[in-house]
Amino acid sequence: LLLGLCVAAAAQSREITNFDADWRFKLGDTAGAQSAGFNDRSWRSLDLPHDWSIELDPVESAPGGGAVGYFPTGIGWYRKHFSVPGYSKDKKYRVEFDGVYMNSTVWINGHELGTWPYGYSSFSYDLTPYLKASDNVIAVRVDNSLQPNSRWYSGSGIYRHVRLVSTSRTYFEKWGVFNYTQEIQGGKAVIKIQSSIVNELKSRMNGTVRHILLDADGKQVADTSVVVEILAGTKHPVVQTPVGDNPTLWALAHPYPPPLRSVILDGNKELDRVDDVLGVRTIRYDIDKGFLLNGKHVKMYGVNVHHDGGAVGAAVPARVWERRLEIFKSGGCNAIRTAHNPPDPTFLDACDRVGMLVMDEAFDQWVAPKNPYDYNLHFYEWHERDLAAMVERDRNHPSVVMWSIGNEIKDQYTEVGPGLAREMIAQCHRLDPTRLVTAGNA
């Protein structure tokens, strides 16, 4: 994955390029580093994910204090020079960040794309208007200088994966294919698939949306197609309910998340393709029977897991997560609460494979602060976007069985707290009608 600047997954309608390799980094604020022509030859070369705090020596005077292990934080800059093989003005390009801690601002070829304050959200930017075939420069400024802003070790930098995604101008919206199992009866599973398709062309598009589900042996167990008409410059929702015959169910003892392939076709031409997982399983919470997975009672034996990997800091290799989950499971644990923020997507991938139940948590604070510079500074402006980013990103993971909108939220004692809770609960249910929503109150 780290062999070149742009190594595409395959020559197909949607190309996903690993963007982790060959970045340049400098600790400290640097004037003019957003400019495409800035001279960064003396900067350090590295690959992502990267946490600069864990590389530094702990100091007693670190403003984050003991909560962050006395590690320094500060401001850092990242820059990447790259070309785009097969570049075309007819394509759509975006860069996707799985997580940057925190207050990241991104530029492409000197054009500012935006700032995302929350260090645990995944986000993306459209590069299309400013991209070229070669001599591109993406610059990222990360500001973790305002301390203290966390009650645990946060890390600093682009500490999760980055990718470049190219599609045609008719494509599935990001996180725009949502699937879940409606019911399982008589060896058949009824699947509901909601997809959102964007047509940026100047003419309407008559095409076909197709979803294909495979089982553990690679056998096709469901295939559904529908013809759609999407007007120029519009976004179109499509709902399909395929029925799978004798599908492999996702369960704790047999945690197989089968692949789901979703495609948009114009005749025989593939316009876009999204490969995801579909956990064929049902969940239900019963006032008398408790939690039911595939109709059977399961008692949750769980622990909280923060986003760091101990000595490796916040940039956690996938195998570290997988090994940790295997150790938990061998000790009788079957459930995880992500303390207290959206986790790395690779962590949820591991939970899908290992067989863990996950309570996916959004925030550690709302309006009332726990530290002077924590999320309370951004809550009113950003909480809807950050909550949507978590739910839309994670709702296809079969391991995720519950949402949490907060941990030990001080707003539970205020006049505004109940209203904020109702608002966020309603938002979760709009984006995902299948899971309950809770909050870890003190």
Side-chain angles (χ1 to χ4, degrees), residues 27 36 49 68 77 90 95 107 109 178 188 194 203 219 221 270 285 292-293 315 318 325 348 353 361 387 401 405:
L27 183 59
V68 297
W77 279 87
D90 295 328
V95 61
W107 292 262
N109 297 329
F178 171 36
K188 296 182 181 293
Q194 300 172 194
S203 60
K219 179 183 176 182
V221 297
E270 185 178 284
Y285 294 86
L292 303 176
L293 177 64
L325 293 172
L348 294 179
R353 293 191 303 270
E361 196 155 72
L387 187 58
V401 296
I405 55 174

Side-chain angles (χ1 to χ4, degrees), residues 334-405:
N334 66 4
I336 301 289
R337 178 186 178 197
T338 66
H340 300 289
N341 45 262
D344 187 337
T346 60
F347 171 79
L348 294 179
D349 292 339
C351 289
D352 291 344
R353 293 191 303 270
V354 172
M356 281 284 178
L357 306 172
V358 177
M359 178 195 293
D360 205 344
E361 196 155 72
F363 308 116
D364 188 49
Q365 58 280 126
W366 300 346
V367 181
K370 296 178 181 177
N371 283 291
Y373 302 107
D374 62 25
Y375 192 68
N376 79 92
L377 299 178
H378 311 289
F379 179 84
Y380 276 124
E381 182 179 356
W382 281 91
H383 75 275
E384 289 185 28
R385 279 175 283 185
D386 285 319
L387 187 58
M390 180 186 80
V391 175
E392 290 178 344
R393 187 196 71 178
D394 298 347
R395 60 191 176 181
N396 286 347
H397 285 281
S399 57
V400 176
V401 296
M402 188 185 298
W403 306 113
S404 171
I405 55 174

